[in-house]
Amino acid sequence: MKGFLKTVFASLVALTLFFVLLLVLVGAIITGQEATPPVEDKTLLVLNLSVPITDKAPRQKFSDVLGNAVQKKEGGQQSLRTVVTAIRKAAEDDRISGLYLKGAVAREGYASGWATLKEVREAIAEFRKSGKPVITWQEGLDEETLYVVSPADEIVLNPLGLMEFNGFASQVNYYREAFEKYGIDVQVTRVGKYKSAVEPFLLDHMSDENREQLELLMTDMFEEVVDAIAGSRGVPADKLHELARKEAVIPAEEARKRGYVTAVDYYDVVLARLRELTDTDAGKDIERLTGVAGYLDSLEKDEDEDDKDKVVVIYAEGDIVSGNDEDKVAGNRISRLLRKAREDEDVKAVVLRVNSPGGSADASDIIQRETILLKKEKPFIVSMGTVAASGGYWISAYGDEIYAEPNTITGSIGVFGMFLNIKKLVNEFGVKVETVRTAPAADIYSLFRPKTEEELAVIQKFIDNIYERFLDKVSEGRKLDRAAVHEIAQGRVWSGRQALKLGLVDRFGGLNDAIAAAAEKAGLEDYRVEEYQQPGSFMDDIIKELGFGASVGTGCLPLIPCGRMWNIFWARRMSGGSMPVCPMI
């Protein structure tokens, strides 16, 4: 017994020493960082487009700190409000001599989507109006990067660089024959002939309905890109269409001749121009430059800021799931934040920023309940990002006003459930499953038998009920005729351009437009914006990274990601017995 206690005590001492040394190490890293330097005259603002732009402020991971010595100002992601606010403030700051757009656009998950890029390019265009130069050097150009940098004064393309402009495409993989080959059966319940998320598992080709909606969606989104670039570069839109149809890719010099870029040259030539803007001697490193986050950190804070009324921004970015997952749109967590804003007397208006393709119907409804309660007490504005579809639209429907961009993907008002049967597959490997049940449907969600017609009928009735509620909620929230909602629903996705015509959204605009609208509706002139989902303290992140304090969700778990614009979720709860399905919207 004594030996056991000694071992336990020694282990506790070793563990304590480990944490002490770990904290000392982290403290040394943090202390060793340089504080944000003050902004001097002739400082260049740098926006690194190769760092993905998310809606909410990214959480700095402990593993990143150890690996990168805390790259606080140029981390793995940057937030949209940080980028846009920094650019707009810099336009009015006499110390900032210009804006340099570095690198090509990098898309990652929901980051740097088309609607996000539209807000960034509009901020760049506003900066240019200040009379300060906007400069970029690109090794090559694709549609995303040209879309963002086209408002710049000086677009310099590497001599061997290519400009790609070949239009949009959506490629869908179909697994029906593969599933049949390997003994996997699929059964589906759904509502909405356009709800195509399950098609890859049922068909070996694209349905007419899906092709119809994708063609219109991509046409609208491509038109936005063409019109924006044509307007910024002063070239006819039909020339861009012709380029996409007949050439797709052109060399740098041809891009210059046609007016898409202003010059063809190497980076050292651009570097000399940047040195000129920052009053830096030839051959010297440019020291007078700052990233967008560093620039905002350097600005003096308003001493009376804390006394102002608040407009709160809450982010719903990612897949909608049950529970409290901070990296997704977790029903309990988002509803709690909405309730917090509703009950806080200092909060005068709320903006819900939605960038989600949907997910759990239960979690969506939990969130929506809080939006209904909030709307009764305070102005509630919805700002749609790159995608606010299905469950993403469910949680948006009751906004006093809904803002979207022309290239937002929205709608998808429909419901589905999908069930796999892998009995044949496991039998091939010599695995057989026997079941003892107390009732015929006790194992209804088993992976090892197909659902009976009676069981599918019960599930379909449940799915139908959710769809009917979806129609009711959209009709009530948007004040639309229910029959008209059904006509534009049926699982169909729409561009923001079409959604405005159909009454699914109210106005075109970005996050800042939604914030301004919320403040105006609340009668505020002098206010502050508070984002509830700011990164936690460094110690909180350390604890989470080490696995302490992490919550284990028992709700719906997304298991089958599929497609570029939507995710298909096979949802089950891990338990000792049968596993209930989570209907997806």
Side-chain angles (χ1 to χ4, degrees):
M1 184 64 181
K2 287 184 178 181
F4 172 73
L5 291 176
K6 286 181 179 180
T7 301
V8 172
F9 181 73
S11 299
L12 290 174
V13 170
L15 188 61
T16 302
L17 288 174
F18 169 75
F19 278 111
V20 170
L21 290 172
L22 188 61
L23 293 176
V24 170
L25 172 62
V26 172
I29 293 174
I30 295 173
T31 305
Q33 296 179 82
E34 295 181 4
T36 302
V39 174
E40 303 176 14
D41 288 340
K42 293 192 174 181
T43 292
L44 185 70
L45 180 67
V46 179
L47 170 59
N48 190 347
L49 295 173
S50 65
V51 177
I53 302 171
T54 60
D55 280 357
K56 64 182 177 183
R59 182 167 65 90
Q60 184 182 21
K61 295 184 179 181
F62 176 55
S63 54
D64 293 338
V65 171
L66 294 181
N68 303 316
V70 196
Q71 293 182 337
K72 180 180 178 182
K73 306 308 174 196
E74 293 291 344
Q77 293 178 330
Q78 52 192 337
S79 76
L80 176 60
R81 280 200 74 236
T82 295
V83 170
V84 172
T85 302
I87 293 174
R88 288 179 172 161
K89 286 184 177 293
E92 301 173 355
D93 191 334
D94 293 336
R95 300 170 300 172
I96 300 297
S97 59
L99 171 62
Y100 180 62
L101 306 176
K102 174 184 177 183
V105 169
R107 301 182 68 179
E108 180 182 289
Y110 300 104
S112 295
W114 284 108
T116 297
L117 298 181
K118 179 172 173 60
E119 293 192 53
V120 174
R121 78 177 306 276
E122 288 176 348
I124 293 169
E126 288 183 24
F127 184 95
R128 182 177 176 178
K129 292 177 183 177
S130 69
K132 302 173 186 179
V134 181
I135 303 169
T136 186
W137 178 84
Q138 296 292 332
E139 186 174 344
L141 277 172
D142 56 17
E143 285 95 336
E144 288 99 334
T145 304
L146 183 58
Y147 180 60
V148 176
V149 306
S150 57
D153 299 274
E154 303 173 34
I155 306 175
V156 184
L157 187 56
N158 187 56
L160 287 181
L162 299 175
M163 179 182 137
E164 172 196 294
F165 202 81
N166 55 351
F168 288 0
S170 178
Q171 183 172 290
V172 182
N173 297 331
Y174 291 86
Y175 306 100
R176 174 182 169 180
E177 291 186 8
F179 276 22
E180 289 177 351
K181 177 179 179 180
Y182 291 104
I184 301 174
D185 294 328
V186 179
Q187 294 173 295
V188 166
T189 55
R190 66 170 173 172
V191 181
K193 62 182 180 180
Y194 293 97
K195 198 70 176 178
S196 60
V198 296
E199 276 190 7
F201 305 97
L202 297 177
L203 306 177
D204 55 12
H205 63 280
M206 187 176 290
S207 68
D208 292 341
E209 292 82 4
N210 193 27
R211 188 174 298 279
E212 174 190 345
Q213 69 175 342
L214 287 179
E215 285 179 350
L216 179 58
L217 178 67
M218 289 190 295
T219 297
D220 280 352
M221 296 184 71
F222 189 56
E223 285 294 334
E224 159 61 26
V225 172
V226 168
D227 292 345
I229 294 173
S232 295
R233 302 315 312 158
V235 298
D238 60 354
K239 292 296 184 182
L240 281 163
H241 281 294
E242 186 178 359
L243 169 60
R245 288 195 307 269
K246 296 183 178 180
E247 297 174 275
V249 179
I250 56 177
E253 187 57 35
E254 193 64 31
R256 185 195 65 79
K257 290 178 181 178
R258 300 185 193 184
Y260 301 126
V261 303
T262 59
V264 174
D265 230 321
Y266 293 99
Y267 176 70
D268 61 277
V269 175
V270 176
L271 182 58
R273 174 80 169 108
L274 301 181
R275 284 178 173 142
E276 177 187 327
L277 284 173
T278 56
D279 199 19
T280 302
D281 293 335
K284 299 288 187 181
D285 290 336
I286 299 176
E287 295 183 356
R288 294 191 186 95
L289 53 80
T290 180
V292 289
Y295 172 67
L296 285 185
D297 283 351
S298 73
L299 299 179
E300 292 185 6
K301 302 298 186 291
D302 186 348
E303 293 182 358
D304 299 325
E305 186 79 5
D306 292 340
D307 298 328
K308 296 179 181 178
D309 291 324
K310 294 187 291 187
V311 174
V312 161
V313 178
I314 297 172
Y315 294 100
E317 184 175 26
D319 306 330
I320 300 178
V321 300
S322 297
N324 295 284
D325 192 332
E326 293 184 18
D327 296 323
K328 296 183 179 180
V329 187
N332 292 345
R333 177 172 172 75
I334 301 301
S335 64
R336 186 167 60 248
L337 294 177
L338 290 165
R339 184 163 55 251
K340 175 184 174 182
R342 174 168 58 88
E343 295 175 347
D344 187 342
E345 295 181 357
D346 293 331
V347 175
K348 304 303 180 183
V350 177
V351 173
L352 179 65
R353 172 70 172 192
V354 180
N355 193 9
S356 171
S360 163
D362 288 342
S364 299
D365 198 50
I366 288 170
I367 294 170
Q368 189 192 70
R369 168 63 179 173
E370 283 298 330
T371 69
I372 295 171
L373 296 176
L374 173 64
K375 181 180 178 178
K376 293 177 180 178
E377 301 183 25
K378 300 175 182 182
F380 171 56
I381 307 297
V382 172
S383 169
M384 290 181 170
T386 294
V387 57
S390 200
Y393 195 84
W394 185 298
I395 66 177
S396 304
Y398 283 89
D400 291 310
E401 289 185 320
I402 298 178
Y403 281 73
E405 297 288 9
N407 48 8
T408 293
I409 299 171
T410 189
S412 193
I413 300 169
V415 192
F416 74 89
M418 189 171 74
F419 314 94
L420 302 181
N421 171 22
I422 62 171
K423 181 179 179 180
K424 293 179 182 177
L425 176 63
V426 298
N427 285 170
E428 288 291 327
F429 289 93
V431 178
K432 294 190 177 181
V433 179
E434 297 287 345
T435 303
V436 177
R437 57 180 77 86
T438 59
D443 64 337
I444 188 173
Y445 299 112
S446 170
L447 289 170
F448 306 107
R449 73 167 178 86
K451 311 296 168 280
T452 65
E453 291 299 322
E454 292 77 11
E455 290 169 338
L456 287 175
V458 170
I459 297 170
Q460 184 64 55
K461 184 177 180 180
F462 182 45
I463 297 294
D464 290 341
N465 179 60
I466 294 176
Y467 179 69
E468 295 299 321
R469 291 190 64 185
F470 207 160
L471 295 181
D472 291 339
K473 288 172 178 290
V474 173
S475 174
E476 181 181 64
R478 301 298 303 151
K479 297 180 174 59
L480 295 172
D481 178 73
R482 192 177 186 280
V485 173
H486 176 61
E487 285 299 312
I488 62 177
Q490 302 185 56
R492 180 161 185 168
V493 294
W494 301 98
S495 68
R497 180 179 294 186
Q498 297 297 327
L500 182 63
K501 297 176 183 178
L502 297 170
L504 292 175
V505 305
D506 297 292
R507 306 177 191 279
F508 288 150
L511 178 56
N512 281 345
D513 297 312
I515 292 171
E520 181 180 0
K521 195 170 181 64
L524 303 177
E525 294 184 1
D526 193 21
Y527 59 92
R528 65 188 175 99
V529 178
E530 181 174 329
E531 298 170 294
Y532 274 173
Q533 292 133 300
Q534 285 295 314
S537 70
F538 201 76
M539 185 55 66
D540 288 340
D541 288 341
I542 290 176
I543 291 173
K544 288 174 183 175
E545 286 283 315
L546 293 175
F548 296 99
S551 60
V552 178
T554 57
C556 306
L557 301 175
L559 297 183
I560 306 179
C562 178
R564 190 174 180 185
M565 291 179 290
W566 307 278
N567 284 331
I568 295 175
F569 306 102
W570 178 238
R572 294 182 175 276
R573 185 176 65 196
M574 296 199 175
S575 62
S578 300
M579 297 179 273
V581 72
C582 221
M584 310 312 289
I585 57 175

